[in-house]
Amino acid sequence: MTEAARHVDFSIIRYAQCWEDADVLLDGLDIQRGDVCASIASAGDNALAMLTRDPARVVAIDLNPAQLACVALRVAAYRVLEHGELLELVGSKASDRRASLYARCRHELADDARAFWDARGDQIARGIGAAGKFERYFRLFRRRLLPLVHGRRTVDALLEPRGEAERHAFYRDRWDTWRWRLLFRVFFSRFVMGRAGRDPAMFKYVEGTVAQRILARTKHALTRLAPADNPYLQWILTERHTTALPLALRPEHFETIRDRLDRLEVRCASVEDYLDNSGGDAGGDAVDRWNLSDIFEYMSADAYHALVGRIASATRPGGRLFYWNMLASRSPDGRPADVAPRLRHLEDLSRDLLERDKAFFYSRVVVEEACA
């Protein structure tokens, strides 16, 4: 069993959508036609996004059956619904017919996934992209606390298209008030985030001030990046995708993903279990590209290095690993001598991708390449 599984409750939907930018993920992985890919499943968005690059297979891995139920319903929705209907079911756009949309998808689900969603009609009615603990955390922020700082007109103005100089001026003059900074320090503290947003066990290896680091990245997203192009920020502030969509939900990718759904495999397993059962060498079961989400910050540095070494052994030369750090630093620095030569850190690329990352709360992007 992986270290995280011993401490974290995996019986609920933790993330009803992927809070990781698929644009930077795909740029970092550089998936080639015919590649074999492995991805942390989460809610399925980024595993589905990987299909747009024409891999032979994408294996979506997750310990949490609730997360795999999210993947299953998304796959069913791509098969049965049209693009606009998919956006309604997810919650990207308003709808009063989500129950009927789900009813059309229901027959595509296996018995366990069908039973899971049949018992969650209220979550379907709100939009399946709002059904996770992390999304409820943002709902609390948006409905109860943000109005104490900024009114609806100010929030709408933040999301308007404007140039970078104008964004900096707006942030300085209208957004960055003392109330905003105080709210941020409280709501995005280790204590509140651990209990309301993620899980206290996920902070076991976090050092230093949590809120201050996230505040700096939020300023980056509101000034250097364009809020009008940021679907993650838009959902946090409005519980909709107002002018931008994550990659897997964009209309230009809908038919491509639909046509390639049979290339997606789903495994209820840890990465360690997947390696145990897939051979773990550079033979026929080797992987070319790994989307590892931020799994390493839920384990000790020693466990991280050990698992990275195993993944390197199961990756074809020239293949890539991609992962995020949010709060706990897990990087190639200080890697054991038996692991270090097997992976090359693509440092410049990693730094560039972090600069462009619209899922702005991550503090580091790491892209590594497997050596021969």
Side-chain angles (χ1 to χ4, degrees):
M1 179 181 290
T2 186
E3 182 176 350
R6 294 193 292 268
H7 305 291
V8 177
D9 179 8
F10 284 130
S11 66
I12 61 172
I13 301 175
R14 307 205 67 85
Y15 305 101
Q17 53 188 289
C18 287
W19 290 95
E20 291 155 354
D21 187 349
D23 291 292
V24 301
L25 172 67
L26 296 191
D27 286 349
L29 286 178
D30 190 28
I31 297 168
Q32 301 297 304
R33 183 178 184 181
D35 276 351
V36 175
C37 304
S39 175
I40 300 302
S42 186
D45 305 293
N46 286 358
L48 291 164
M50 292 165 75
L51 293 174
T52 65
R53 296 296 181 94
D54 205 14
R57 288 192 296 148
V58 175
V59 184
I61 307 162
D62 210 290
L63 280 166
N64 186 350
Q67 295 299 149
L68 298 183
C70 292
V71 179
L73 184 50
R74 273 172 171 72
V75 169
Y78 274 92
R79 291 193 190 280
V80 173
L81 303 180
E82 296 306 317
H83 177 254
E85 295 171 327
L86 169 66
L87 297 185
E88 289 183 59
L89 182 65
V90 169
S92 300
K93 57 190 293 188
S95 178
D96 59 2
R97 56 169 184 161
R98 294 192 181 106
S100 64
L101 294 175
Y102 168 67
R104 288 166 54 193
C105 300
R106 188 176 175 274
H107 71 278
E108 291 282 343
L109 299 174
D111 290 346
D112 54 349
R114 187 184 306 120
F116 180 90
W117 286 109
D118 283 353
R120 289 166 172 79
D122 57 335
Q123 295 179 354
I124 291 170
R126 184 177 290 120
I128 63 172
K133 182 179 180 183
F134 203 49
E135 290 77 21
R136 290 194 295 274
Y137 174 65
F138 286 137
R139 187 182 307 130
L140 174 64
F141 169 77
R142 176 175 53 256
R143 294 185 177 180
R144 301 292 181 86
L145 300 178
L146 185 60
L148 301 176
V149 179
H150 293 305
R152 184 75 258 166
R153 291 177 61 185
T154 303
V155 172
D156 290 343
L158 175 75
L159 298 176
E160 292 174 359
R162 49 170 57 91
E164 184 174 341
E166 294 177 290
R167 295 195 297 268
H168 279 278
F170 183 92
Y171 184 84
R172 181 189 65 241
D173 298 336
R174 295 185 59 183
W175 194 267
D176 189 28
T177 66
W178 68 267
R179 292 177 190 270
W180 166 250
R181 293 189 294 272
L182 177 61
L183 168 67
F184 212 97
R185 283 197 296 271
V186 173
F187 196 74
F188 293 95
S189 66
R190 181 194 307 248
F191 178 83
V192 176
M193 187 182 291
R195 281 152 183 79
R198 304 187 99 196
D199 189 287
M202 294 178 177
F203 290 81
K204 181 177 180 180
Y205 298 108
V206 174
E207 298 178 357
T209 303
V210 170
Q212 200 62 36
R213 279 183 276 172
I214 300 176
L215 180 60
R217 289 292 298 164
T218 303
K219 179 180 179 181
H220 175 85
L222 301 187
T223 56
R224 296 291 299 277
L225 305 181
D229 299 331
N230 192 329
Y232 310 100
L233 177 66
Q234 289 173 15
W235 187 283
I236 291 169
L237 296 178
T238 72
E239 202 166 12
R240 294 286 182 270
H241 295 127
T242 56
T243 59
L245 291 165
L247 191 149
L249 293 180
R250 293 173 195 158
E252 62 267 29
H253 298 307
F254 179 75
E255 292 295 341
T256 300
I257 292 173
R258 172 184 271 177
D259 290 345
R260 296 172 180 171
L261 288 173
D262 290 340
R263 304 185 195 182
L264 181 69
E265 303 174 20
V266 178
R267 307 277 184 92
C268 188
S270 66
V271 173
E272 293 92 332
D273 291 338
Y274 174 72
L275 291 168
D276 288 341
N277 295 321
S278 65
D281 57 22
D285 289 316
V287 173
D288 298 288
R289 315 286 161 171
W290 294 84
N291 166 27
L292 294 161
S293 183
D294 61 347
I295 63 168
F296 295 130
E297 64 181 60
Y298 307 147
M299 58 185 71
S300 68
D302 288 344
Y304 154 65
H305 289 305
L307 182 53
V308 162
R310 292 194 63 194
I311 292 170
S313 297
T315 305
R316 289 190 182 92
R320 289 188 179 183
L321 288 59
F322 188 113
Y323 51 98
W324 282 267
N325 290 175
M326 182 175 178
L327 299 170
S329 178
R330 294 291 178 260
S331 73
D333 304 332
R335 186 159 285 167
D338 61 328
V339 176
R342 288 187 270 165
L343 291 168
R344 181 170 69 94
H345 181 203
L346 304 182
E347 191 168 359
D348 291 343
L349 175 61
S350 300
R351 189 182 303 112
D352 174 67
L353 294 175
L354 178 65
E355 186 72 13
R356 297 192 276 120
D357 194 351
K358 296 185 291 296
F360 49 91
F361 20 78
Y362 294 99
S363 60
R364 187 169 189 172
V365 162
V366 181
V367 186
E368 301 193 74
E369 186 173 88
C371 302

